[in-house]
Amino acid sequence: MNRKTVARIAFAAVVAPTLAFGAPAAAMADSYFSAESTAAGFKGATSNSVKAVAVDGDHKHGGGSYFEHDSSAAGFKGAASHNTTSAAN
């Protein structure tokens, strides 16, 4: 066998079990993500926050998703604030 064939077989041997066992578990899991950042300096300050949630449903409770993004900034010329929120059931 040449190197290319050996590399393909090795790749398939690693990826196939990962997909077979990992994909169904990931599809049924709830997920949550949150990130925040702030910065300040001579020219002003900023703040940024992102949150995202996805929940699987069951027979008693429906699933849904939620997303929120908040940002604000202030400097010599003024200040600004922005908020985006989205939710679905």
PDB file of all heavy atoms in Angstrom, residues 33-37 46-53 66-73 80-87:
ATOM      1  N   PHE A  33     -23.673  28.911  26.000  1.00  0.00           N
ATOM      2  CA  PHE A  33     -22.453  29.645  25.663  1.00  0.00           C
ATOM      3  C   PHE A  33     -22.566  31.052  26.225  1.00  0.00           C
ATOM      4  O   PHE A  33     -23.613  31.689  26.122  1.00  0.00           O
ATOM      5  CB  PHE A  33     -22.257  29.714  24.147  1.00  0.00           C
ATOM      6  CG  PHE A  33     -21.103  30.589  23.743  1.00  0.00           C
ATOM      7  CD1 PHE A  33     -19.813  30.112  23.790  1.00  0.00           C
ATOM      8  CD2 PHE A  33     -21.312  31.896  23.342  1.00  0.00           C
ATOM      9  CE1 PHE A  33     -18.741  30.913  23.436  1.00  0.00           C
ATOM     10  CE2 PHE A  33     -20.256  32.714  22.980  1.00  0.00           C
ATOM     11  CZ  PHE A  33     -18.965  32.213  23.031  1.00  0.00           C
ATOM     12  N   SER A  34     -21.490  31.530  26.831  1.00  0.00           N
ATOM     13  CA  SER A  34     -21.451  32.880  27.356  1.00  0.00           C
ATOM     14  C   SER A  34     -20.058  33.444  27.188  1.00  0.00           C
ATOM     15  O   SER A  34     -19.075  32.745  27.443  1.00  0.00           O
ATOM     16  CB  SER A  34     -21.839  32.874  28.843  1.00  0.00           C
ATOM     17  OG  SER A  34     -21.752  34.177  29.376  1.00  0.00           O
ATOM     18  N   ALA A  35     -19.958  34.694  26.753  1.00  0.00           N
ATOM     19  CA  ALA A  35     -18.661  35.352  26.609  1.00  0.00           C
ATOM     20  C   ALA A  35     -18.820  36.830  26.935  1.00  0.00           C
ATOM     21  O   ALA A  35     -19.841  37.439  26.602  1.00  0.00           O
ATOM     22  CB  ALA A  35     -18.127  35.183  25.196  1.00  0.00           C
ATOM     23  N   GLU A  36     -17.824  37.374  27.607  1.00  0.00           N
ATOM     24  CA  GLU A  36     -17.833  38.782  27.959  1.00  0.00           C
ATOM     25  C   GLU A  36     -16.455  39.379  27.719  1.00  0.00           C
ATOM     26  O   GLU A  36     -15.450  38.690  27.863  1.00  0.00           O
ATOM     27  CB  GLU A  36     -18.209  38.976  29.428  1.00  0.00           C
ATOM     28  CG  GLU A  36     -19.613  38.526  29.767  1.00  0.00           C
ATOM     29  CD  GLU A  36     -19.955  38.742  31.232  1.00  0.00           C
ATOM     30  OE1 GLU A  36     -19.223  39.483  31.920  1.00  0.00           O
ATOM     31  OE2 GLU A  36     -20.957  38.188  31.679  1.00  0.00           O
ATOM     32  N   SER A  37     -16.439  40.657  27.358  1.00  0.00           N
ATOM     33  CA  SER A  37     -15.164  41.359  27.207  1.00  0.00           C
ATOM     34  C   SER A  37     -15.357  42.816  27.573  1.00  0.00           C
ATOM     35  O   SER A  37     -16.426  43.387  27.352  1.00  0.00           O
ATOM     36  CB  SER A  37     -14.635  41.225  25.778  1.00  0.00           C
ATOM     37  OG  SER A  37     -15.501  41.886  24.882  1.00  0.00           O
ATOM     38  N   THR A  46     -15.232  50.178  26.424  1.00  0.00           N
ATOM     39  CA  THR A  46     -16.229  49.340  25.754  1.00  0.00           C
ATOM     40  C   THR A  46     -16.536  48.122  26.601  1.00  0.00           C
ATOM     41  O   THR A  46     -15.719  47.676  27.406  1.00  0.00           O
ATOM     42  CB  THR A  46     -15.745  48.851  24.370  1.00  0.00           C
ATOM     43  OG1 THR A  46     -14.615  48.008  24.555  1.00  0.00           O
ATOM     44  CG2 THR A  46     -15.399  50.003  23.455  1.00  0.00           C
ATOM     45  N   SER A  47     -17.723  47.581  26.401  1.00  0.00           N
ATOM     46  CA  SER A  47     -18.148  46.363  27.066  1.00  0.00           C
ATOM     47  C   SER A  47     -18.991  45.559  26.080  1.00  0.00           C
ATOM     48  O   SER A  47     -19.801  46.129  25.343  1.00  0.00           O
ATOM     49  CB  SER A  47     -18.971  46.690  28.312  1.00  0.00           C
ATOM     50  OG  SER A  47     -19.445  45.506  28.915  1.00  0.00           O
ATOM     51  N   ASN A  48     -18.812  44.241  26.074  1.00  0.00           N
ATOM     52  CA  ASN A  48     -19.510  43.380  25.127  1.00  0.00           C
ATOM     53  C   ASN A  48     -19.872  42.079  25.826  1.00  0.00           C
ATOM     54  O   ASN A  48     -19.049  41.495  26.523  1.00  0.00           O
ATOM     55  CB  ASN A  48     -18.613  43.115  23.913  1.00  0.00           C
ATOM     56  CG  ASN A  48     -19.369  42.515  22.760  1.00  0.00           C
ATOM     57  OD1 ASN A  48     -20.578  42.641  22.680  1.00  0.00           O
ATOM     58  ND2 ASN A  48     -18.652  41.875  21.870  1.00  0.00           N
ATOM     59  N   SER A  49     -21.090  41.591  25.637  1.00  0.00           N
ATOM     60  CA  SER A  49     -21.543  40.350  26.262  1.00  0.00           C
ATOM     61  C   SER A  49     -22.424  39.571  25.283  1.00  0.00           C
ATOM     62  O   SER A  49     -23.302  40.153  24.647  1.00  0.00           O
ATOM     63  CB  SER A  49     -22.340  40.666  27.530  1.00  0.00           C
ATOM     64  OG  SER A  49     -22.929  39.506  28.054  1.00  0.00           O
ATOM     65  N   VAL A  50     -22.184  38.271  25.183  1.00  0.00           N
ATOM     66  CA  VAL A  50     -22.985  37.389  24.326  1.00  0.00           C
ATOM     67  C   VAL A  50     -23.391  36.160  25.133  1.00  0.00           C
ATOM     68  O   VAL A  50     -22.568  35.566  25.822  1.00  0.00           O
ATOM     69  CB  VAL A  50     -22.193  36.937  23.072  1.00  0.00           C
ATOM     70  CG1 VAL A  50     -23.000  35.944  22.256  1.00  0.00           C
ATOM     71  CG2 VAL A  50     -21.809  38.123  22.226  1.00  0.00           C
ATOM     72  N   LYS A  51     -24.682  35.782  25.035  1.00  0.00           N
ATOM     73  CA  LYS A  51     -25.181  34.575  25.680  1.00  0.00           C
ATOM     74  C   LYS A  51     -26.064  33.832  24.686  1.00  0.00           C
ATOM     75  O   LYS A  51     -26.875  34.445  24.001  1.00  0.00           O
ATOM     76  CB  LYS A  51     -25.991  34.906  26.927  1.00  0.00           C
ATOM     77  CG  LYS A  51     -25.166  35.497  28.028  1.00  0.00           C
ATOM     78  CD  LYS A  51     -26.009  35.860  29.219  1.00  0.00           C
ATOM     79  CE  LYS A  51     -25.101  36.499  30.238  1.00  0.00           C
ATOM     80  NZ  LYS A  51     -25.682  37.534  31.007  1.00  0.00           N
ATOM     81  N   ALA A  52     -25.906  32.506  24.646  1.00  0.00           N
ATOM     82  CA  ALA A  52     -26.744  31.678  23.780  1.00  0.00           C
ATOM     83  C   ALA A  52     -27.066  30.381  24.509  1.00  0.00           C
ATOM     84  O   ALA A  52     -26.195  29.780  25.132  1.00  0.00           O
ATOM     85  CB  ALA A  52     -26.033  31.378  22.468  1.00  0.00           C
ATOM     86  N   VAL A  53     -28.325  29.958  24.437  1.00  0.00           N
ATOM     87  CA  VAL A  53     -28.780  28.743  25.110  1.00  0.00           C
ATOM     88  C   VAL A  53     -29.665  27.963  24.141  1.00  0.00           C
ATOM     89  O   VAL A  53     -30.512  28.546  23.461  1.00  0.00           O
ATOM     90  CB  VAL A  53     -29.597  29.086  26.386  1.00  0.00           C
ATOM     91  CG1 VAL A  53     -30.102  27.829  27.056  1.00  0.00           C
ATOM     92  CG2 VAL A  53     -28.788  29.924  27.341  1.00  0.00           C
ATOM     93  N   TYR A  66     -32.366  30.649  22.964  1.00  0.00           N
ATOM     94  CA  TYR A  66     -32.308  32.026  23.435  1.00  0.00           C
ATOM     95  C   TYR A  66     -30.962  32.611  23.055  1.00  0.00           C
ATOM     96  O   TYR A  66     -29.933  31.956  23.188  1.00  0.00           O
ATOM     97  CB  TYR A  66     -32.496  32.060  24.957  1.00  0.00           C
ATOM     98  CG  TYR A  66     -32.365  33.438  25.557  1.00  0.00           C
ATOM     99  CD1 TYR A  66     -33.418  34.336  25.509  1.00  0.00           C
ATOM    100  CD2 TYR A  66     -31.183  33.826  26.183  1.00  0.00           C
ATOM    101  CE1 TYR A  66     -33.298  35.604  26.057  1.00  0.00           C
ATOM    102  CE2 TYR A  66     -31.058  35.093  26.734  1.00  0.00           C
ATOM    103  CZ  TYR A  66     -32.112  35.974  26.677  1.00  0.00           C
ATOM    104  OH  TYR A  66     -31.990  37.220  27.211  1.00  0.00           O
ATOM    105  N   PHE A  67     -30.969  33.851  22.581  1.00  0.00           N
ATOM    106  CA  PHE A  67     -29.738  34.555  22.215  1.00  0.00           C
ATOM    107  C   PHE A  67     -29.832  35.990  22.705  1.00  0.00           C
ATOM    108  O   PHE A  67     -30.868  36.641  22.566  1.00  0.00           O
ATOM    109  CB  PHE A  67     -29.542  34.541  20.693  1.00  0.00           C
ATOM    110  CG  PHE A  67     -28.396  35.398  20.234  1.00  0.00           C
ATOM    111  CD1 PHE A  67     -27.099  34.908  20.278  1.00  0.00           C
ATOM    112  CD2 PHE A  67     -28.604  36.684  19.778  1.00  0.00           C
ATOM    113  CE1 PHE A  67     -26.036  35.695  19.872  1.00  0.00           C
ATOM    114  CE2 PHE A  67     -27.543  37.480  19.366  1.00  0.00           C
ATOM    115  CZ  PHE A  67     -26.260  36.982  19.408  1.00  0.00           C
ATOM    116  N   GLU A  68     -28.747  36.487  23.293  1.00  0.00           N
ATOM    117  CA  GLU A  68     -28.710  37.865  23.746  1.00  0.00           C
ATOM    118  C   GLU A  68     -27.322  38.451  23.501  1.00  0.00           C
ATOM    119  O   GLU A  68     -26.313  37.803  23.783  1.00  0.00           O
ATOM    120  CB  GLU A  68     -29.032  37.962  25.231  1.00  0.00           C
ATOM    121  CG  GLU A  68     -29.036  39.381  25.750  1.00  0.00           C
ATOM    122  CD  GLU A  68     -29.407  39.471  27.220  1.00  0.00           C
ATOM    123  OE1 GLU A  68     -29.494  38.431  27.891  1.00  0.00           O
ATOM    124  OE2 GLU A  68     -29.603  40.591  27.678  1.00  0.00           O
ATOM    125  N   HIS A  69     -27.286  39.671  22.947  1.00  0.00           N
ATOM    126  CA  HIS A  69     -26.027  40.383  22.713  1.00  0.00           C
ATOM    127  C   HIS A  69     -26.187  41.800  23.240  1.00  0.00           C
ATOM    128  O   HIS A  69     -27.086  42.527  22.822  1.00  0.00           O
ATOM    129  CB  HIS A  69     -25.687  40.405  21.220  1.00  0.00           C
ATOM    130  CG  HIS A  69     -24.462  41.188  20.913  1.00  0.00           C
ATOM    131  ND1 HIS A  69     -24.429  42.157  19.938  1.00  0.00           N
ATOM    132  CD2 HIS A  69     -23.220  41.174  21.449  1.00  0.00           C
ATOM    133  CE1 HIS A  69     -23.222  42.690  19.888  1.00  0.00           C
ATOM    134  NE2 HIS A  69     -22.470  42.113  20.810  1.00  0.00           N
ATOM    135  N   ASP A  70     -25.334  42.178  24.182  1.00  0.00           N
ATOM    136  CA  ASP A  70     -25.317  43.522  24.744  1.00  0.00           C
ATOM    137  C   ASP A  70     -23.962  44.146  24.466  1.00  0.00           C
ATOM    138  O   ASP A  70     -22.932  43.493  24.641  1.00  0.00           O
ATOM    139  CB  ASP A  70     -25.522  43.499  26.266  1.00  0.00           C
ATOM    140  CG  ASP A  70     -26.892  42.999  26.657  1.00  0.00           C
ATOM    141  OD1 ASP A  70     -27.870  43.467  26.065  1.00  0.00           O
ATOM    142  OD2 ASP A  70     -26.967  42.140  27.556  1.00  0.00           O
ATOM    143  N   SER A  71     -23.958  45.408  24.075  1.00  0.00           N
ATOM    144  CA  SER A  71     -22.693  46.119  23.890  1.00  0.00           C
ATOM    145  C   SER A  71     -22.887  47.581  24.261  1.00  0.00           C
ATOM    146  O   SER A  71     -23.973  48.141  24.113  1.00  0.00           O
ATOM    147  CB  SER A  71     -22.184  45.989  22.451  1.00  0.00           C
ATOM    148  OG  SER A  71     -23.094  46.584  21.556  1.00  0.00           O
ATOM    149  N   SER A  72     -21.825  48.171  24.763  1.00  0.00           N
ATOM    150  CA  SER A  72     -21.860  49.594  25.086  1.00  0.00           C
ATOM    151  C   SER A  72     -20.465  50.177  24.919  1.00  0.00           C
ATOM    152  O   SER A  72     -19.463  49.466  25.026  1.00  0.00           O
ATOM    153  CB  SER A  72     -22.384  49.825  26.510  1.00  0.00           C
ATOM    154  OG  SER A  72     -21.584  49.124  27.435  1.00  0.00           O
ATOM    155  N   ALA A  73     -20.429  51.456  24.636  1.00  0.00           N
ATOM    156  CA  ALA A  73     -19.151  52.143  24.441  1.00  0.00           C
ATOM    157  C   ALA A  73     -19.313  53.598  24.876  1.00  0.00           C
ATOM    158  O   ALA A  73     -20.391  54.179  24.767  1.00  0.00           O
ATOM    159  CB  ALA A  73     -18.723  52.081  22.977  1.00  0.00           C
ATOM    160  N   ALA A  80     -22.796  55.065  23.664  1.00  0.00           N
ATOM    161  CA  ALA A  80     -23.798  54.304  22.909  1.00  0.00           C
ATOM    162  C   ALA A  80     -24.034  52.961  23.595  1.00  0.00           C
ATOM    163  O   ALA A  80     -23.131  52.412  24.234  1.00  0.00           O
ATOM    164  CB  ALA A  80     -23.334  54.081  21.480  1.00  0.00           C
ATOM    165  N   SER A  81     -25.249  52.455  23.432  1.00  0.00           N
ATOM    166  CA  SER A  81     -25.599  51.157  23.998  1.00  0.00           C
ATOM    167  C   SER A  81     -26.466  50.419  22.985  1.00  0.00           C
ATOM    168  O   SER A  81     -27.297  51.023  22.311  1.00  0.00           O
ATOM    169  CB  SER A  81     -26.366  51.351  25.307  1.00  0.00           C
ATOM    170  OG  SER A  81     -26.742  50.113  25.837  1.00  0.00           O
ATOM    171  N   HIS A  82     -26.269  49.102  22.892  1.00  0.00           N
ATOM    172  CA  HIS A  82     -27.020  48.294  21.922  1.00  0.00           C
ATOM    173  C   HIS A  82     -27.374  46.961  22.566  1.00  0.00           C
ATOM    174  O   HIS A  82     -26.558  46.359  23.267  1.00  0.00           O
ATOM    175  CB  HIS A  82     -26.159  48.053  20.671  1.00  0.00           C
ATOM    176  CG  HIS A  82     -26.813  47.198  19.657  1.00  0.00           C
ATOM    177  ND1 HIS A  82     -27.811  47.661  18.825  1.00  0.00           N
ATOM    178  CD2 HIS A  82     -26.645  45.908  19.343  1.00  0.00           C
ATOM    179  CE1 HIS A  82     -28.202  46.666  18.040  1.00  0.00           C
ATOM    180  NE2 HIS A  82     -27.514  45.604  18.344  1.00  0.00           N
ATOM    181  N   ASN A  83     -28.608  46.499  22.332  1.00  0.00           N
ATOM    182  CA  ASN A  83     -29.056  45.221  22.866  1.00  0.00           C
ATOM    183  C   ASN A  83     -29.863  44.494  21.807  1.00  0.00           C
ATOM    184  O   ASN A  83     -30.756  45.075  21.180  1.00  0.00           O
ATOM    185  CB  ASN A  83     -29.926  45.447  24.122  1.00  0.00           C
ATOM    186  CG  ASN A  83     -30.425  44.145  24.700  1.00  0.00           C
ATOM    187  OD1 ASN A  83     -31.281  43.499  24.119  1.00  0.00           O
ATOM    188  ND2 ASN A  83     -29.901  43.769  25.839  1.00  0.00           N
ATOM    189  N   THR A  84     -29.555  43.212  21.602  1.00  0.00           N
ATOM    190  CA  THR A  84     -30.321  42.346  20.701  1.00  0.00           C
ATOM    191  C   THR A  84     -30.716  41.096  21.476  1.00  0.00           C
ATOM    192  O   THR A  84     -29.858  40.460  22.093  1.00  0.00           O
ATOM    193  CB  THR A  84     -29.496  41.944  19.465  1.00  0.00           C
ATOM    194  OG1 THR A  84     -29.090  43.119  18.768  1.00  0.00           O
ATOM    195  CG2 THR A  84     -30.307  41.051  18.538  1.00  0.00           C
ATOM    196  N   THR A  85     -31.995  40.740  21.439  1.00  0.00           N
ATOM    197  CA  THR A  85     -32.481  39.537  22.122  1.00  0.00           C
ATOM    198  C   THR A  85     -33.380  38.769  21.172  1.00  0.00           C
ATOM    199  O   THR A  85     -34.187  39.363  20.458  1.00  0.00           O
ATOM    200  CB  THR A  85     -33.283  39.921  23.387  1.00  0.00           C
ATOM    201  OG1 THR A  85     -32.454  40.699  24.236  1.00  0.00           O
ATOM    202  CG2 THR A  85     -33.737  38.681  24.127  1.00  0.00           C
ATOM    203  N   SER A  86     -33.216  37.445  21.170  1.00  0.00           N
ATOM    204  CA  SER A  86     -34.048  36.578  20.329  1.00  0.00           C
ATOM    205  C   SER A  86     -34.351  35.299  21.090  1.00  0.00           C
ATOM    206  O   SER A  86     -33.479  34.744  21.752  1.00  0.00           O
ATOM    207  CB  SER A  86     -33.309  36.254  19.025  1.00  0.00           C
ATOM    208  OG  SER A  86     -34.069  35.366  18.240  1.00  0.00           O
ATOM    209  N   ALA A  87     -35.590  34.821  20.996  1.00  0.00           N
ATOM    210  CA  ALA A  87     -35.981  33.591  21.683  1.00  0.00           C
ATOM    211  C   ALA A  87     -36.984  32.844  20.823  1.00  0.00           C
ATOM    212  O   ALA A  87     -37.749  33.438  20.062  1.00  0.00           O
ATOM    213  CB  ALA A  87     -36.586  33.907  23.039  1.00  0.00           C
TER     214      ALA A  87
END
